[in-house]
Amino acid sequence: MNRFYSLLPVLMVALLTACGGGGGGASAPNDPYQPPADTTAPVITVTGDNPATVEINSDYTDAGATSDGGETVSASGEVDTGTVGEYTITYSATDAAGNTGTATRTVNVVDSGPGDTVAPVITLDGDNPQTVELNGTYTEAGATTDTGESVSIDSSAVDTSAVGSFEVIYSAVDDAGNTATPVVRVVNVVDSSASATKLSVLTAVVDEIVIPNYKNLADEASDFAADNGPVAGYCAALGADDEESKLDLAKNGWKSLMSKVQKTDLHIMGPAAKNNNSLRNRVYFYQEKDRLMETMSTCATDVAVVNANDDTGFQVSVTANNQRGMSALEYLLFEENLDHTCSANVSAVADWNSVSDGDRKAQRCALAELIADDVAVNASQIHSDWGSYREGFLDAGEIGTTFELMTDGLFYFEKHTKSAKLNGPIGIDALCPDEQLTCPEFIESPFSETSLQNIKVNAEQLLEIFDKGLDDLANESAPDDWSSSFKGLISAVINKIAMMQSAAPNDSLVQQVARISSANDAAACQSAFDSPEVDADLTICSLGGLVKNVTDDLKIEFITYLGVDLPEGAGGDTD
């Protein structure tokens, strides 16, 4: 086409000349070809986020925009960062040909709330309380936070040159300015060469036995219930090749945790005893009341299994004590028979026995995990509460009352260890009705068969508490070093159980009680009980006599030499 337009004037001149026209000096016509007009608008690219987000009441800085032809880009629109809403910024650019391009950015002003408001949590390393000998050196054990901040430590109040209790204060602040709740470590400066007093003995028992025992219980309960703990591990292994080995780990974990519970039995006081032992019973429910034993109900636990599976809102925390705690966990982990134990009129479990074994194991395991969590929560609560309870409990002005609360706690050994856990089951204690030879229903841990170990731990704890200065206090008025004799009686119980466990590791209290099946057996048991130092075939009955030797002294010499009253409910004679 260009070529055509370039030849046309020549042809027309030639034509006009041939025809005689074209004279008169006329000019050639203008070239009619024009290039196409520029109608393409610039393309604008928005820089940065689109949409953009800005926090309310903060500054907004626009990131701008560019055009593909290098034209200047102008922006219009406003963002009110004081008001939540959606705003638009419009960008435009015009090229030399007058073409205008536009683009927009959406800016969202939001209110995300206050941001990080979670304060760090401080955890102390080492013992709390900590004991330092008079004129000794206090060594700081340190502390950490759950989010890694450095911990400030103020131990300036500690004076090891004076007997007393001192506080070390721990604090921390995170990058967002959140301040941790200060944590206090109590440092007791003691003079072990000084004469014992009720206050010094009570302080030693609380700081060196009670609080550490509850801490150990809380820590182990938390580990037992953790997502990577033994209960969760067993539940995850159901139906797998390692199911049995994982169950063994869960059982062993329960046994270890139960030993921590048994240590606390000898000092059910303070937070654990409030509201009729409310917190303690949530951790472990086993108590004698009005000559009857209150403990876990297998049927109630069976019903709880079904309810936990059917009700998505099921909460262990609102269930009765007889279907929660360590005893319910024992039943769920150790009992191999999956059938329910309820009578025929309990509709909740009517279809249970027809459910497959796999599903029944899974449902029982699910409840076990919930109960383990609940035990951990309540064990931690007891330990935490002692932190604020300790100061008032050790108030010198209240020592008469609080010292007796501590000694009253030791009578658990008389009421429960002796009567309910041992002599009741073998038919010797009045707790067992006369018409029965034995009372196996009183046995404390029948499924795990750890009843003897429980009694042994109780005895060990009684000895440890008595050895924290009660022995010295008693000897101030007792003749002929009675304290050594009393400790010997407790040691005899411990040694007897150790001998029984060594000689027949698998011979449980359940099996030994079952051997007392006739009147002759009962008579032989009574004989062994009356002469516990003499070897007898029914060693469990000899053990019962040794335990009674301890409680006889507990109810007479102990209260006399320590100047305390016999607790309400403890037998006044040597039953």
Side-chain angles (χ1 to χ4, degrees):
M1 181 65 83
N2 291 340
R3 192 173 163 195
F4 173 78
Y5 279 111
S6 65
L7 292 175
L8 185 60
V10 176
L11 292 173
M12 290 191 67
V13 169
L15 181 61
L16 290 171
T17 302
C19 298
S27 61
N30 291 332
D31 185 354
Y33 171 74
Q34 295 293 331
D38 179 7
T39 60
T40 302
V43 176
I44 296 177
T45 301
V46 177
T47 305
D49 294 336
N50 189 20
T53 301
V54 59
E55 193 67 31
I56 190 171
N57 297 323
S58 63
D59 294 331
Y60 171 68
T61 301
D62 193 72
T66 60
S67 74
D68 60 343
E71 294 83 4
T72 299
V73 179
S74 60
S76 63
E78 294 183 354
V79 176
D80 179 7
T81 59
T83 304
V84 171
E86 182 180 289
Y87 301 88
T88 301
I89 302 294
T90 301
Y91 304 93
S92 63
T94 303
D95 63 15
N99 301 302
T100 299
T102 62
T104 60
R105 183 199 312 272
T106 299
V107 180
N108 295 311
V109 177
V110 300
D111 184 356
S112 301
D116 178 12
T117 60
V118 179
V121 177
I122 298 172
T123 300
L124 298 182
D125 297 327
D127 294 334
N128 186 29
Q130 187 169 333
T131 301
V132 180
E133 189 66 30
L134 180 66
N135 296 319
T137 300
Y138 168 66
T139 301
E140 176 55 53
T144 58
T145 69
D146 58 342
T147 44
E149 293 80 9
S150 61
V151 179
S152 298
I153 304 173
D154 181 5
S155 58
S156 59
V158 177
D159 180 6
T160 60
S161 67
V163 172
S165 293
F166 306 93
E167 293 185 346
V168 180
I169 311 297
Y170 301 81
S171 58
V173 180
D174 65 17
D175 291 339
N178 301 304
T179 301
T181 300
V183 175
V184 175
R185 188 196 309 272
V186 175
V187 178
N188 294 316
V189 178
V190 300
D191 182 2
S192 58
S193 64
S195 298
T197 65
K198 286 186 175 181
L199 180 58
S200 69
V201 171
L202 185 62
T203 300
V205 170
V206 168
D207 288 349
E208 298 174 33
I209 295 179
V210 175
I211 294 178
N213 276 354
Y214 282 122
K215 181 181 188 303
N216 292 337
L217 173 60
D219 289 347
E220 188 154 335
S222 179
D223 291 342
F224 185 71
D227 290 341
N228 61 347
V231 178
Y234 164 57
C235 294
L238 289 175
D241 292 340
D242 60 346
E243 175 183 333
E244 186 174 348
S245 63
K246 293 295 186 180
L247 176 58
D248 287 340
L249 289 176
K251 289 178 176 179
N252 289 334
W254 181 92
K255 290 178 182 178
S256 178
L257 181 58
M258 187 58 159
S259 71
K260 304 299 187 297
V261 172
Q262 294 295 321
K263 282 191 171 186
T264 67
D265 279 347
L266 273 293
H267 49 71
I268 303 174
M269 58 186 182
K274 285 184 175 180
N275 300 319
N276 294 319
N277 298 347
S278 176
L279 280 176
R280 189 264 181 178
N281 287 341
R282 296 174 195 173
V283 173
Y284 181 48
F285 184 56
Y286 177 86
Q287 62 182 15
E288 184 272 330
K289 185 177 181 180
D290 299 329
R291 312 300 290 179
L292 296 173
M293 288 307 304
E294 295 181 342
T295 187
M296 183 270 305
S297 163
T298 57
C299 175
T301 305
D302 291 334
V303 171
V305 170
V306 175
N307 290 340
N309 181 68
D310 292 345
D311 182 3
T312 56
F314 179 86
Q315 293 182 322
V316 173
S317 60
V318 298
T319 59
N321 289 330
N322 66 355
Q323 53 188 282
R324 64 196 292 187
M326 290 295 292
S327 292
L329 275 174
E330 178 193 12
Y331 172 60
L332 293 171
L333 292 175
F334 286 86
E335 176 54 67
E336 296 180 356
N337 187 347
L338 301 176
D339 289 349
H340 72 78
T341 58
C342 300
S343 59
N345 62 349
V346 180
S347 60
V349 293
D351 299 326
W352 174 256
N353 290 352
S354 62
V355 177
S356 71
D357 285 358
D359 285 346
R360 288 192 290 179
K361 284 183 181 179
Q363 291 184 38
R364 286 166 66 94
C365 216
L367 179 61
E369 288 188 281
L370 294 177
I371 294 175
D373 286 337
D374 187 65
V375 168
V377 167
N378 289 290
S380 295
Q381 188 67 57
I382 296 174
H383 175 244
S384 175
D385 287 354
W386 262 106
S388 57
Y389 190 83
R390 174 192 176 277
E391 183 177 359
F393 193 76
L394 296 179
D395 184 347
E398 299 294 330
I399 191 63
T401 298
T402 53
F403 186 83
E404 288 229 13
L405 287 175
M406 183 267 290
T407 56
D408 284 355
L410 300 181
F411 277 80
Y412 179 95
F413 196 80
E414 190 273 337
K415 189 173 184 179
H416 289 86
T417 307
K418 183 205 77 172
S419 293
K421 298 185 182 186
L422 180 56
N423 290 347
I426 62 177
I428 296 292
D429 194 272
L431 194 62
C432 187
D434 292 338
E435 62 270 18
Q436 293 184 223
L437 278 178
T438 59
C439 288
E441 64 272 18
F442 293 162
I443 294 177
E444 182 180 24
S445 298
F447 301 103
S448 63
E449 299 188 341
T450 55
S451 310
L452 281 176
Q453 181 63 22
N454 295 346
I455 296 169
K456 182 170 179 280
V457 174
N458 288 168
E460 290 169 340
Q461 196 60 51
L462 175 62
L463 180 60
E464 184 178 357
I465 292 174
F466 187 73
D467 212 23
K468 278 297 176 188
L470 288 172
D471 51 349
D472 295 332
L473 281 179
N475 278 343
E476 291 179 6
S477 58
D480 303 324
D481 193 13
W482 168 81
S483 292
S484 293
S485 172
F486 184 59
K487 287 190 280 189
L489 295 177
I490 303 172
S491 296
V493 172
I494 298 169
N495 295 336
K496 184 71 170 181
I497 297 175
M499 180 273 294
M500 294 168 65
Q501 292 173 326
S502 176
N506 299 319
D507 197 9
S508 69
L509 182 57
V510 173
Q511 295 167 322
Q512 295 188 57
V513 169
R515 295 194 189 105
I516 307 172
S517 58
S518 67
N520 288 338
D521 295 331
C525 181
Q526 185 67 58
S527 177
F529 177 85
D530 293 338
S531 303
E533 294 81 9
V534 178
D535 289 339
D537 291 336
L538 293 173
T539 54
I540 193 65
C541 302
S542 299
L543 176 63
L546 293 176
V547 170
K548 182 176 180 295
N549 287 346
V550 174
T551 60
D552 284 352
D553 266 27
L554 194 64
K555 290 184 288 184
I556 299 177
E557 286 83 357
F558 178 87
I559 64 170
T560 300
Y561 300 143
L562 287 170
V564 295
D565 294 327
L566 191 68
E568 182 180 354
D573 55 12
T574 54
D575 61 339

